[in-house]
Amino acid sequence: MAAPGKVAAFHLPPLPTIGEIIKLFRLKAQKQLSQNFLLDLRLTDKIVKQAGNLKNAHVCEVGPGPGGITRSILSAGVQQLLLVEKDARFIPGLQMLSEAAPGKVRIVRGDILTYKIEKAFPKHLKKDWADEPPDIHIIGNLPFSVSTPLIIKWLENVSKKDGPFIYGRTQMTLTFQKEVAERLTANPGDKQRSRLSIMSQHLCTVENCFVIPGQAFVPKPQVDVAVVHFTPLVTPKIQQPFKLVEKVVQSVFQFRRKYCFRGIETLFPEDGRLKRTEQLMMTANVDPTLRPFQLSMSQFRNLCDTYRKMCDEDPSLFVYSYREELRQKKMRNLPISTSEPEQTE
Ligand code: SAM
């Protein structure tokens, strides 16, 4: 866990309030972009504190919008702040902030999902993976429609040590819909335990820091929000390629209310499905009558390691897709002997 940092290591000159900036630049939140702003600087300070000590740090803020969190990051005394904002309407307000903190802020108008963050920071900040995390932080309050695909992309980057993790174990402090944050941090046996719990926790220490009630945002979203802090682990709890882990985990949670063997059998083509499912579960030492949410991380590790061995012996296994088989059968009006997967996260 990051030790909460101090805020107010740098004093910004007097500036219009965030509310005034919104009025001045006519920054009406766009509903279709799920824009919800934080105007209360005590709250943005509290978010930024979760990142740890930012004095002289290099920070990338994703989706700064009107700049509430941005001000708190600057007040924490960072050396460099990179802002990546998709919506051009926010750039003039951010430029005003940049002028208030000369030489510290770089503004990029772009989409964080495609931005090449691996080139964003000076090379000398790189740390070995086993060292302490580098003095680089990612902070952001993004729309929910972006934060989930983005964390999946960044978790894959953690696994490959590329993207923002080319610099070492870069820490991230990000907001999510409260329920998504609960899934990210759920323990075995929790009803929120899901694909996201395994995908995040096998690669990172994940901490659900605190909840921000929806009414703290302008306009107020339908849901509450939680701040989550991620520190990549030196040694992942599952040491297999990201896509393989993702396939196993997705299959297990495909039928989350049924016994886990129901999802696991979808890893295998119809021909020999039962035999291979039994082989996998016996070798991995997993009780087939456990429910997906009851499986521990070490049971997922055993399943992934055993499935990997089976794929090495028969490379056609890894490319097999249960959903594709269902789709083909539906197209050809063939009888479907298996149930439809549930929608899971
Ligand atoms: N950080 C500000 C705050 O807390 O008040 C704004 C939060 S608002 C929920 C999300 C911000 O992310 C908006 O400014 C929006 O334009 C920006 N944004 C949305 N998608 C983005 C993307 N793919 N890349 C970069 N910025 C994005």
Side-chain angles (χ1 to χ4, degrees):
M1 166 186 160
K6 274 192 255 158
V7 172
F10 172 81
H11 288 285
L12 285 163
L15 286 165
T17 64
I18 298 295
E20 284 162 355
I21 293 270
I22 290 173
K23 278 198 198 121
L24 189 64
F25 294 103
R26 299 205 177 93
L27 302 176
K28 194 171 182 315
Q30 296 205 343
K31 229 180 173 176
Q32 66 273 30
L33 292 180
S34 310
Q35 290 176 341
N36 311 98
F37 306 137
L38 285 168
L39 273 51
D40 179 348
L41 293 184
R42 281 168 309 182
L43 199 48
T44 56
D45 280 354
K46 191 171 169 192
I47 296 173
V48 169
K49 267 191 191 169
Q50 305 306 316
N53 184 0
L54 295 185
K55 186 127 180 61
N56 297 325
H58 289 244
V59 176
C60 171
E61 189 196 353
V62 289
I69 296 178
T70 320
R71 290 187 189 201
S72 295
I73 298 171
L74 286 169
S75 299
V78 298
Q79 190 168 336
Q80 281 287 318
L81 174 57
L82 166 68
L83 303 174
V84 182
E85 173 55 62
K86 193 174 177 184
D87 186 338
R89 295 175 309 140
F90 294 113
I91 305 298
L94 296 171
Q95 269 157 355
M96 183 188 269
L97 266 182
S98 165
E99 281 155 25
K104 285 186 187 281
V105 181
R106 188 152 53 101
I107 304 169
V108 170
R109 194 202 149 195
D111 183 337
I112 192 62
L113 289 163
T114 50
Y115 178 68
K116 296 222 174 313
I117 199 166
E118 59 273 27
K119 300 210 171 107
F121 303 103
K123 283 193 187 127
H124 70 84
L125 296 175
K126 278 190 186 182
K127 287 264 176 85
D128 285 339
W129 193 260
D131 277 357
E132 285 298 298
D135 213 358
I136 298 176
H137 296 257
I138 298 174
I139 301 178
N141 171 30
L142 280 168
F144 307 134
S145 57
V146 180
S147 53
T148 305
L150 186 63
I151 194 62
I152 291 291
K153 176 177 146 78
W154 278 343
L155 288 170
E156 183 162 8
N157 291 144
V158 171
S159 158
K160 294 179 175 160
K161 302 182 182 158
D162 62 12
F165 310 99
I166 204 152
Y167 297 92
R169 295 184 298 120
T170 301
Q171 298 176 75
M172 302 176 279
T173 309
L174 302 167
T175 59
F176 294 89
Q177 183 178 331
K178 180 172 160 264
E179 288 71 21
V180 175
E182 284 167 0
R183 280 184 222 135
L184 284 162
T185 53
N187 290 316
D190 288 357
K191 72 173 190 302
Q192 306 286 4
R193 184 85 160 172
S194 64
R195 175 180 75 109
L196 278 179
S197 327
I198 312 302
M199 295 316 291
S200 58
Q201 294 170 36
H202 90 275
L203 290 163
C204 294
T205 303
V206 192
E207 191 200 343
N208 194 340
C209 304
F210 67 96
V211 173
I212 311 175
Q215 63 259 28
F217 294 84
V218 178
K220 175 181 172 306
Q222 298 294 326
V223 290
D224 292 335
V225 174
V227 179
V228 183
H229 186 267
F230 301 82
T231 310
L233 292 164
V234 173
T235 312
K237 291 185 178 154
I238 303 175
Q239 295 190 36
Q240 294 295 349
F242 187 84
K243 291 287 179 210
L244 184 138
V245 180
E246 196 174 41
K247 187 175 181 195
V248 172
V249 172
Q250 227 157 22
S251 301
V252 172
F253 281 103
Q254 209 150 175
F255 300 99
R256 55 174 301 120
R257 283 180 283 268
K258 305 214 167 126
Y259 291 147
C260 65
F261 81 84
R262 229 2 241 101
I264 291 174
E265 65 178 4
T266 66
L267 284 167
F268 304 110
E270 216 166 351
D271 188 19
R273 180 170 286 154
L274 188 61
K275 197 167 148 252
R276 281 172 145 164
T277 307
E278 280 173 2
Q279 184 194 342
L280 171 56
M281 304 214 65
M282 268 180 56
T283 318
N285 198 18
V286 173
D287 175 351
T289 64
L290 287 174
R291 313 273 170 185
F293 68 92
Q294 294 174 310
L295 298 193
S296 65
M297 188 60 83
S298 62
Q299 287 171 316
F300 274 103
R301 186 194 58 225
N302 290 351
L303 286 171
C304 291
D305 289 348
T306 311
Y307 178 66
R308 167 70 189 265
K309 280 195 196 119
M310 294 170 90
C311 291
D312 287 347
E313 282 161 19
D314 176 357
S316 71
L317 262 192
F318 189 65
V319 288
Y320 166 72
S321 160
Y322 176 77
R323 281 171 193 257
E324 182 56 24
E325 186 182 279
L326 277 187
R327 204 179 64 83
Q328 295 280 344
K329 279 187 172 173
K330 269 191 188 162
M331 263 171 46
R332 288 192 247 132
N333 269 335
L334 292 173
I336 297 170
S337 56
T338 43
S339 3
E340 297 268 2
E342 299 160 14
Q343 289 299 319
T344 56
E345 268 217 327

